[in-house]
Amino acid sequence: MKLLEDRIIQTGRIINNEILKVDNFLNHQIDVNLINEIGKDIASIYPNANKVVTIETSGIAIAYATSLALNNCPLVFAKKQASKITSNNNYTAKVKSFTKSVTYDISIDKSYLNKGDKIVIVDDFLANGNAGVGLVELIRQSGAEILGFASAIEKGFQGGRENIERLGIKVYSCAIIKAFKDNKPVF
Amino acid sequence: MKLLEDRIIQTGRIINNEILKVDNFLNHQIDVNLINEIGKDIASIYPNANKVVTIETSGIAIAYATSLALNNCPLVFAKKQASKITSNNNYTAKVKSFTKSVTYDISIDKSYLNKGDKIVIVDDFLANGNAGVGLVELIRQSGAEILGFASAIEKGFQGGRENIERLGIKVYSCAIIKAFKDNKPVF
């Protein structure tokens, strides 16, 4: 998606050829025009989805835009829990944090995932794919069908795509960064 | 806003005449049709706003819908921090948690609040108003103009409106619950 690649080039900040900061349009300040286009792009790949699932916090805006482009279908965001709350009312999974060496629980109330659902999972970033893998494991407990996973920005050199595809799940990203070179993205 | 009042009556769950759970359309599963209408309602009160500010997590969807109804103006969400990170690049304020007896920091990068901004602050709930007061204090550091505060659901018996109005800020809520009686809302 050229619009997103251009924006990453123009306003993304890359630190130490490793960290990409897109605070300016994606996960602190949100450019609603751009995110609407990202939502349309994702919806065009999964036009038969009837529910959008994401994870708090930064996935919510993209999930909202995706839902807008899918006839305002329901969206559900998984909650992250630092502490471990066991509840019979929730589907849960464990996710290993990429940046911090901790494992956290994610959960969704069982009422909001059902057998007839055709789900697209969305997130802002795809790095090592741990959050995506956790969401797939969680959703599969419900019997809902997963049409695929979509991220706005994929860091294509961190193995996330392979980790999710290994579960039999299709992966799409609006922009795929192959590498960082001289603190610039290579698409 | 009758649509929202009806939905609270139909699907909200009130526990011990105190806690209102609206997980089913507002802060876990999101009914995008309804939230779009909430956004339009808020935008109709503050039609001159050119930036929407909220606080993670549950405010983001409502802020997105409000921005859609304000010509896709930028939206910014304040981040909550458990640990205290002092940074010269952020405006910060302290917020006392209503449910837990802890104080947390909220912050917004200085780049995203500017003097020409005409801001509407939005949140999902207005209870005691501590988050709203914190956001007002934070935004005022930037010199941006605050047109007002808006919540989807106000619990009108917990003093939040008075706490925000005391700062000279207009308050609007789409639905105002005067009391809970027999685990039912009274509007």
Side-chain angles (χ1 to χ4, degrees), chain A residues 74-91:
Chain A
L75 89 84
V76 179
F77 62 88
K79 301 191 176 190
K80 290 178 189 172
Q81 289 157 307
S83 63
K84 292 176 190 183
I85 297 163
T86 312
S87 163
N88 288 330
N89 297 324
N90 292 327
Y91 298 116

Side-chain angles (χ1 to χ4, degrees), chain B:
Chain B
M1 192 185 163
K2 189 161 182 315
L3 192 68
L4 177 57
E5 292 180 0
D6 288 348
R7 185 65 68 87
I8 295 168
I9 290 167
Q10 284 158 21
T11 60
R13 285 185 302 130
I14 295 159
I15 300 159
N16 299 330
N17 277 321
E18 196 177 326
I19 297 164
L20 172 64
K21 299 270 277 179
V22 287
D23 269 10
N24 150 308
F25 60 88
L26 190 63
N27 46 28
H28 186 18
Q29 179 167 250
I30 292 173
D31 179 335
V32 171
N33 283 308
L34 178 65
I35 305 302
N36 278 347
E37 294 305 314
I38 290 173
K40 285 179 201 165
D41 188 44
I42 293 172
S44 75
I45 304 298
Y46 303 106
N48 297 320
N50 62 15
K51 189 170 277 184
V52 181
V53 173
T54 188
I55 187 167
E56 61 182 4
T57 299
S58 301
I60 295 173
I62 294 167
Y64 201 95
T66 305
S67 163
L68 289 176
L70 289 167
N71 302 310
N72 299 348
C73 72
L75 89 84
V76 179
F77 62 87
K79 300 191 177 191
K80 290 178 189 172
Q81 290 156 306
S83 62
K84 291 174 190 185
I85 299 163
T86 311
S87 162
N88 289 329
N89 297 324
N90 292 327
Y91 298 116
T92 62
K94 292 192 181 303
V95 173
K96 211 180 280 180
S97 169
F98 177 58
T99 39
K100 304 157 202 168
S101 57
V102 293
T103 297
Y104 59 92
D105 289 339
I106 59 173
S107 70
I108 293 181
D109 188 300
K110 288 183 179 176
S111 318
Y112 307 136
L113 295 173
N114 301 293
K115 270 189 184 158
D117 293 341
K118 295 174 186 296
I119 290 174
V120 53
I121 303 170
V122 311
D123 208 354
D124 56 342
F125 272 97
L126 173 57
N128 64 6
N130 286 355
V133 167
L135 284 168
V136 170
E137 289 171 354
L138 185 157
I139 294 166
R140 281 187 166 164
Q141 297 167 39
S142 72
E145 186 185 351
I146 302 171
L147 302 188
F149 173 95
S151 78
I153 303 173
E154 176 176 346
K155 295 197 271 181
F157 47 91
Q158 292 183 332
R161 178 176 288 266
E162 294 73 16
N163 286 336
I164 296 172
E165 286 180 343
R166 194 174 293 136
L167 303 173
I169 300 292
K170 175 175 165 173
V171 174
Y172 173 75
S173 298
C174 303
I176 303 175
I177 298 172
K178 285 193 198 138
F180 294 130
K181 202 176 166 186
D182 303 329
N183 283 329
K184 293 204 171 97
V186 181
F187 294 105

Side-chain angles (χ1 to χ4, degrees), chain A residues 5 20 28 33 54 65 68 85 94 103 109 117 154 177 184-185:
Chain A
E5 291 179 1
L20 172 64
H28 186 17
N33 283 307
T54 187
L68 289 175
I85 297 163
K94 292 192 183 301
T103 296
D109 189 300
D117 293 342
E154 175 176 348
I177 298 172
K184 292 201 171 100

